[in-house]
Amino acid sequence: MVFDRIFLNARFDGGTRHHIAVKDGHIAALLPADAPAGGVETVDLANALVVPGFVEGHIHLDTSFYGDAWRPHKPCTNGFNVHERVAFQAQNMAEAAPMDVRARNQLDLCIGHGTTQMRSHVMVDGSVGLKSLETILRVREEYRGLIDIQLVAFPQSGILASPGTPKLLEEAIGLGANLVGGLDPASFDRDVEKHLDVVFGVANKHGVDIDIHLHDMGTLGAFEIEQIAARTRALGMEGHVAISHAYGLGDITMDQLKSVADKLARSGVAIMTNAPGVRPFPPILPLRNAGVTVFSGNDNIRDSWWPYGDGDMLRRATTLGYRSGFNIDEELRVAFDVVTTAGAKALRLEGYGLRVGAKADFVTLNAEHVPEAVVAAPPGRAVYKAGMLVASNGKIVGR
Ligand SMILES: [Zn+2]
């Protein structure tokens, strides 16, 4: 086979060395490090650690103010309140730079750190209609070739609480959204059955996957998770549904967790956690050990919900490990798996990983191995998409 390009001297986690031969944007062969590589364009990776591109599993491209003016965080009047935060967000967004500018800022940030695959939620509800989605769809088109993006039609103002939203969610799928979302069926819309009827109804009718925001805590959250798992099985949608946050899983007894985790595993419902702040969050190891796919994302980056976030999935792995008390190498590799391979599974990505036949999407790191990369999140990365350099040292190539 004639290759398009050969990346020389790639060091994989575990210490094996290869030349990565690329053809048509895919890994065509992993050649032994002593194999001759003449007659074709070569790029010397100089024994850098090479890992698959990161999977950003949950972000909001429409609501970040990264690269825009700093907007001081406004606390809720009485504890965390989703309704109040949504109202603050509407005020902030009205004064912000245009959405396409802010979305590009955020994409450049994420790609610069090594993200090659992304799932973004975009507001689709009675308050903004399809306007935000139309903007983000245009930006997604501009970034084709740099990053693959799945978009979730996200009812940020509720489905039942926001008139017209069920129809808008359907129209969003017609426009190009890939998944249908949901938001706290109990605490926000106050009707779990009717909320899930709409979400699963749209998914079933249009053959799309589901990713539901669920902030509800304790047994209420666990109850909703069980309802989602039961509907997933009833519709034969195993592997096609995710729950984002699922804070309730970190806020119940171990016995309760075991029971819910078994249902999640049987229904193939994945759990997204970004291990945020002081909140309880889904315990990664017990869930994985029960067979649940756990993935991650930055979620909010400098938006109306909090001032944090840097778009770096490797730094997110640091946070996941730190908050989980991961110290041994095996655990640090789990944190890494959550932002790479497990993310690819949750997003049902085809051709992911450092293997023959996969897309040539990879990142070089200045680290001895994955455990060190997770704790250090080192700078000085090169990011390759389909075998082409797209970012170097945090900057998009050509800009
Ligand atoms: Zn979110």
Side-chain angles (χ1 to χ4, degrees):
M1 184 189 290
V2 180
F3 304 120
D4 296 332
R5 197 169 294 111
I6 299 182
F7 293 89
L8 305 173
N9 305 311
R11 186 164 44 84
F12 286 12
D13 187 40
T16 56
R17 287 160 203 269
H18 303 275
H19 297 330
I20 304 172
V22 172
K23 171 93 178 145
D24 297 330
H26 288 73
I27 298 175
L30 294 173
L31 307 170
D34 56 1
V40 60
E41 182 191 336
T42 57
V43 178
D44 190 355
L45 299 179
N47 285 321
L49 178 66
V50 174
V51 297
F54 304 135
V55 180
E56 166 59 76
H58 187 122
I59 199 166
H60 294 261
L61 286 175
D62 51 343
T63 53
S64 170
F65 304 118
Y66 178 79
D68 192 13
W70 178 262
R71 281 164 214 286
H73 182 78
K74 218 168 160 180
C76 291
T77 42
N78 187 16
F80 178 77
N81 179 311
V82 174
H83 280 93
E84 203 172 9
R85 292 246 66 86
V86 173
F88 291 162
Q89 177 166 275
Q91 291 163 14
N92 282 336
M93 297 263 284
E95 301 159 0
M99 186 178 290
D100 60 330
V101 173
R102 293 184 287 104
R104 283 187 207 103
N105 290 342
Q106 207 172 180
L107 282 167
D108 291 351
L109 180 73
C110 294
I111 296 165
H113 285 308
T115 290
T116 56
Q117 311 277 344
M118 172 181 280
R119 174 179 288 178
S120 172
H121 296 252
V122 181
M123 276 172 73
V124 171
D125 56 34
S127 72
V128 299
L130 297 164
K131 277 205 306 282
S132 300
L133 179 65
E134 285 164 352
T135 302
I136 301 301
L137 282 166
R138 278 197 301 276
V139 175
R140 174 167 77 174
E141 212 42 51
E142 281 174 38
Y143 278 74
R144 199 170 284 283
L146 295 177
I147 184 168
D148 300 327
I149 305 172
Q150 299 179 352
L151 297 177
V152 186
F154 171 45
Q156 173 80 84
S157 305
I159 293 176
L160 313 174
S162 179
T165 298
K167 189 159 170 283
L168 286 167
L169 292 174
E170 289 208 43
E171 289 171 5
I173 302 301
L175 270 182
N178 308 88
L179 297 93
V180 59
L183 172 69
D184 292 323
S187 66
F188 204 98
D189 266 352
R190 308 195 72 79
D191 191 329
V192 177
E193 289 295 308
K194 281 198 183 130
H195 185 102
L196 295 181
D197 281 349
V198 173
V199 176
F200 279 86
V202 172
N204 201 26
K205 184 171 166 190
H206 296 276
V208 294
D209 290 4
I210 292 172
D211 192 329
I212 299 176
H213 275 71
L214 186 64
H215 308 90
D216 290 335
M217 306 296 291
T219 49
L220 175 62
F223 170 76
E224 291 170 88
I225 290 166
E226 287 178 342
Q227 298 303 304
I228 292 166
R231 282 180 182 251
T232 300
R233 284 190 85 186
L235 287 172
M237 287 187 68
E238 290 93 340
H240 294 255
V241 177
I243 302 173
S244 285
H245 302 307
Y247 295 137
L249 294 176
D251 191 33
I252 50 179
T253 67
M254 277 315 272
D255 280 349
Q256 289 170 322
L257 176 71
K258 204 178 168 321
S259 161
V260 181
D262 284 344
K263 289 174 182 144
L264 285 169
R266 275 205 303 278
S267 59
V269 173
I271 297 294
M272 192 300 299
T273 184
N274 60 336
V278 294
R279 283 173 167 273
F281 67 102
I284 296 171
L285 277 184
L287 286 169
R288 281 174 59 104
N289 291 341
V292 181
T293 301
V294 181
F295 66 116
S296 190
N298 279 279
D299 195 11
N300 310 97
I301 295 180
R302 295 198 195 174
D303 65 4
S304 307
W305 297 70
W306 67 12
Y308 296 99
D310 61 5
D312 184 356
M313 287 309 294
L314 196 51
R315 182 70 68 193
R316 183 59 50 186
T318 316
T319 302
L320 294 168
Y322 181 83
R323 286 217 61 201
S324 300
F326 290 172
N327 292 326
I328 63 176
D329 285 1
E330 192 186 324
E331 293 168 336
L332 295 169
R333 284 197 168 88
V334 165
F336 188 77
D337 188 76
V338 170
V339 303
T340 51
T341 308
K345 188 176 179 205
L347 270 62
R348 296 199 301 116
L349 302 179
E350 281 174 14
Y352 183 84
L354 291 177
R355 56 181 174 77
V356 174
K359 290 181 183 173
D361 296 352
F362 55 85
V363 182
T364 66
L365 298 173
N366 296 316
E368 191 181 334
H369 40 48
V370 158
E372 194 201 6
V374 167
V375 297
R381 307 173 197 176
V383 184
Y384 294 87
K385 177 80 184 153
M388 301 291 288
L389 182 70
V390 292
S392 178
N393 284 315
K395 292 266 178 285
I396 306 295
V397 170
R399 267 187 238 167

